Amino acid sequence: MLDDDTLDVWVIPLDATAPGSLDSRADDLSPTERQRLVRLGLRNPRARHRYLVSHLAARDIVAGYLDCAPGDLTRVRDSQYGKPGYILGWCPGPAVSLSRSDGLALLAVRRPGLEVGVDVERIRPGIDWPRVLGRAHADGVDSASGFRSWTRWEASVKAAGVGISASVGRDLSPWPARAVRLPHPFRDYAAAVATDRRGAGADIRLRQHIVSRSREPRHALLEVAAH
């Protein structure tokens, strides 16, 4: 169950199943998502598979909260900047935010009507952090701390639902972000989750989801900790 103090972050490994093994479940997606699959498949089969896994996982997880089949959900966007969500008939689903990077996706979930944003990035070298973050904030920043700063900012942007371009220079303090400590083998990723101020003190329940062909996915509680 979800209440004001519940903040679930689902860890979704995107390469736990072989490409092509979940194609039978593509009908669970919306027409727009299926069109995206077709476009990705023409260029990059691995990207297509990871997109399919992440979006099936989001449906599976939301369906678990609403006690329905994943294919019964309708995917909607609740702002002009494309903040996604799901409804079951006229029943709103929980507030969600999905982020993907390389072989990992995260889905953050809160009670319907609340706000949440999540971001994950694989830590890698070669980023000009003084240019990305601004010289005053990034002198001497290494790859790991740079990505941690970036994910906190982007999580707040997603929680605010304003879009990246509209967020430049905007006060994002009403949507405070916190780092998310990911377990092994995902320590080479930086992640953060943001909420409205009501959720700033909520404990993060870290869970894992593995997508399956049977529509009976395996869920695992990874960690219960305050971050």
Side-chain angles (χ1 to χ4, degrees):
M1 297 295 292
L2 294 168
D3 55 34
D4 288 4
D5 296 322
T6 300
L7 174 54
D8 288 347
V9 175
W10 293 85
V11 176
I12 306 161
L14 300 180
D15 298 327
T17 52
S21 62
L22 298 172
D23 286 355
S24 62
R25 292 201 54 196
D27 287 346
D28 284 343
L29 302 182
S30 70
T32 301
E33 289 170 315
R34 292 197 295 271
Q35 291 169 9
R36 174 70 171 157
L37 275 184
V38 171
R39 293 195 298 270
L40 285 171
L42 295 175
R43 303 193 308 267
N44 191 330
R46 173 180 269 190
R48 176 190 183 278
H49 179 69
R50 287 174 170 175
Y51 179 90
L52 176 61
V53 172
S54 62
H55 285 252
L56 286 176
R59 284 178 173 271
D60 287 347
I61 291 165
V62 172
Y65 289 104
L66 296 179
D67 193 22
C68 68
D72 292 341
L73 297 169
T74 300
R75 189 169 186 261
V76 296
R77 295 184 180 275
D78 63 4
S79 80
Q80 62 178 312
Y81 298 102
K83 195 173 181 181
Y86 298 90
I87 59 175
L88 178 62
W90 293 105
C91 176
V96 298
S97 180
L98 177 67
S99 180
R100 293 183 293 132
S101 180
D102 202 5
L104 182 65
L106 298 182
L107 184 78
V109 184
R110 293 188 75 203
R111 182 179 64 75
L114 301 182
E115 296 169 347
V116 69
V118 71
D119 191 56
V120 62
E121 296 285 348
R122 186 157 203 164
I123 298 169
R124 55 194 185 276
I127 306 298
D128 184 358
W129 289 115
R131 181 182 64 83
V132 173
L133 299 176
R135 180 76 57 182
H137 303 285
D139 278 342
V141 168
D142 60 16
S143 292
S145 57
F147 276 107
R148 285 194 290 268
S149 295
W150 175 264
T151 55
R152 287 194 299 270
W153 177 77
E154 190 156 342
S156 292
V157 169
K158 290 182 177 181
V162 296
I164 290 178
S165 60
S167 68
V168 176
R170 184 186 180 103
D171 178 16
L172 295 174
S173 60
W175 301 275
R178 291 178 283 165
V180 177
R181 269 195 325 274
L182 296 176
H184 177 79
F186 307 114
R187 297 286 171 78
D188 56 343
Y189 289 85
V193 64
T195 65
D196 52 74
R197 285 176 174 151
R198 286 176 295 177
D203 286 347
I204 298 172
R205 300 195 304 187
L206 202 59
R207 301 173 180 270
Q208 181 170 282
H209 176 90
I210 303 294
V211 179
S212 72
R213 286 175 289 183
S214 67
R215 294 178 173 84
E216 295 180 358
R218 290 179 288 141
H219 293 165
L221 181 64
L222 295 179
E223 179 183 2
V224 178
H227 290 249

